[in-house]
Amino acid sequence: MVLSRLRSAALLVVAALTLAACGQGDADEAATVSGDAGFPVTIDHVFGSTTIEARPQRVVAIGGGDMEAAIALEVIPVGGADWFGFTGTRGWVKTALGDRPAPKPLQAFEPKFEEIAALKPDLILYVNSQNDRKQFDTFNAIAPTIAAPAGTKNVYGVTWQDQVSEIAKATGTTARGEQVIKDTEALIAAAAKANPEFAGKTITAGVYSADSLSAWLPSDPRMHLLTSLGFEPNPQIVAMENGDFYVKITPELTGTMDADVIYLAALDGGGKLDPAVAKDKLFNALPAVKGKHVAYFGGAPVINTSTPSGEFSSAFSIGGPLGIKYVLPLLIPQLKKAVAGQA
């Protein structure tokens, strides 16, 4: 009954906005899709299943990295949300787009449903997301919506491989998806093979933001990449599993951050370490920090800037085929220095 009311409301929104939507021009063109799968297709996910009757032509991407994963599949959404709310197009995403129009920027954390309905989508991607049932139902009332794979336990906890596979199936690009996954995994495997010193080293990765330290759990996309390179997640952090993608590190828990390597987003726009981190006696007393087995990169102040530091931080955080390809040549040297104690 609730879903029926939501769908009815969404249809009224679409009807009211149709005339305005018709004249939006290039930004509102149909999504570019290529593929090989027949339709209809049914996608199973955490909220049940969604059947897509025909090959989608107007895709909207809401989940973290969903837009970038779709672009890697050569499916160009008519609208897409950046995980951090960036309202432009990341440089590394522009490279993949080439001369094709960028998706209309949308909000992910507080989506404007009328704006999304105005794009007249025939598929909404809510794959790597907050797993919010109410949001899903509202999206699904606008257009068929796919969510995180069944069994996903963590917020933003979908691996990039599963994200690509699910979006590929939903858009009829399964062959392309398989090739994208194969090529990206080959890049990671080559980097791991070239740096055997990473294998088995424990790592704590996280961020200093809002006056506190946080460490990412193994489900976080950044940890996915680090562990794919051979590192092992810090077991003390793993033990704090809470269903989210990170845990806050209060002062009394600072000691749990110690590992063979620490990788922390804590640099400002000028490349300087946040003064609060530099003055944190507990953090700087950690053996890893004292031994220079620590590396820093751009934190919250840079993530939504069009600077080299912002490009790196966004690509590393959003990940997926596009982000990984961009970030690996920059990430590896930082990790090598941290492992060697040359940070």
Side-chain angles (χ1 to χ4, degrees):
M1 182 67 71
V2 172
L3 183 56
S4 176
R5 288 198 298 269
L6 286 168
R7 188 176 295 278
S8 297
L11 289 173
L12 287 173
V13 169
V14 173
L17 295 173
T18 295
L19 289 176
C22 285
Q24 289 181 348
D26 289 346
D28 225 9
E29 288 178 359
T32 301
V33 237
S34 61
D36 52 9
F39 286 84
V41 295
T42 298
I43 307 295
D44 296 323
H45 50 73
V46 290
F47 299 125
S49 63
T50 298
T51 297
I52 303 159
E53 298 293 343
R55 188 182 307 281
Q57 298 298 314
R58 300 185 62 80
V59 177
V60 165
I62 299 296
D66 286 356
M67 173 176 63
E68 295 80 3
I71 292 171
L73 293 168
E74 298 184 357
V75 174
I76 312 303
V78 293
D82 179 279
W83 192 14
F84 297 96
F86 189 60
T87 55
T89 303
R90 307 281 188 181
W92 47 277
V93 177
K94 286 181 181 178
T95 300
L97 283 170
D99 59 0
R100 293 170 293 191
K104 176 182 175 63
L106 301 172
Q107 294 183 19
F109 290 99
E110 294 182 0
K112 297 179 179 179
F113 298 109
E114 290 189 0
E115 181 181 32
I116 292 168
L119 292 172
K120 298 181 291 184
D122 49 18
L123 175 66
I124 297 176
L125 309 178
Y126 187 64
V127 180
N128 192 34
S129 67
Q130 302 175 69
N131 300 334
D132 184 284
R133 182 62 194 245
K134 184 178 179 180
Q135 280 195 355
F136 170 81
D137 286 343
T138 306
F139 288 132
N140 201 41
I142 296 171
T145 300
I146 59 173
T152 301
K153 296 180 180 179
N154 288 62
V155 169
Y156 295 105
V158 180
T159 67
W160 67 265
Q161 291 97 328
D162 286 345
Q163 183 180 42
V164 168
S165 292
E166 184 172 319
I167 294 172
K169 182 178 179 182
T171 57
T173 58
T174 53
R176 170 72 180 169
E178 290 168 2
Q179 190 63 49
V180 166
I181 291 172
K182 181 179 178 180
D183 291 346
T184 307
E185 287 183 337
L187 285 176
I188 298 170
K193 184 177 180 180
N195 297 279
E197 68 271 30
F198 295 171
K201 294 288 193 302
T202 58
I203 191 167
T204 299
V207 60
Y208 181 82
S209 179
D211 301 320
S212 65
L213 290 164
S214 294
W216 297 317
L217 291 165
S219 63
D220 183 89
R222 291 155 288 207
M223 289 300 296
H224 287 163
L225 179 55
L226 293 171
T227 54
S228 295
L229 290 170
F231 290 97
E232 296 288 339
N234 179 347
Q236 295 184 90
I237 301 300
V238 175
M240 299 183 203
E241 172 63 54
N242 61 4
D244 213 324
F245 62 93
Y246 72 97
V247 290
K248 283 193 174 183
I249 305 298
T250 54
E252 64 271 19
L253 293 175
T254 303
T256 64
M257 294 189 71
D258 195 44
D260 292 324
V261 174
I262 295 176
Y263 193 48
L264 191 69
L267 299 183
D268 64 18
K272 294 182 179 179
L273 184 62
D274 189 297
V277 177
K279 295 176 182 178
D280 188 325
K281 293 182 179 179
L282 293 174
F283 178 77
N284 287 283
L286 294 173
V289 179
K290 292 175 70 175
K292 297 185 178 180
H293 295 290
V294 59
Y296 303 101
F297 63 102
V302 308
I303 194 74
N304 280 340
T305 65
S306 297
T307 62
S309 182
E311 291 286 277
F312 173 86
S313 293
S314 64
F316 179 49
S317 298
I318 294 170
L322 302 185
I324 290 169
K325 182 179 180 180
Y326 176 85
V327 83
L328 271 181
L330 304 169
L331 174 65
I332 296 299
Q334 298 177 33
L335 296 174
K336 286 177 71 71
K337 287 183 177 180
V339 170
Q342 298 173 349

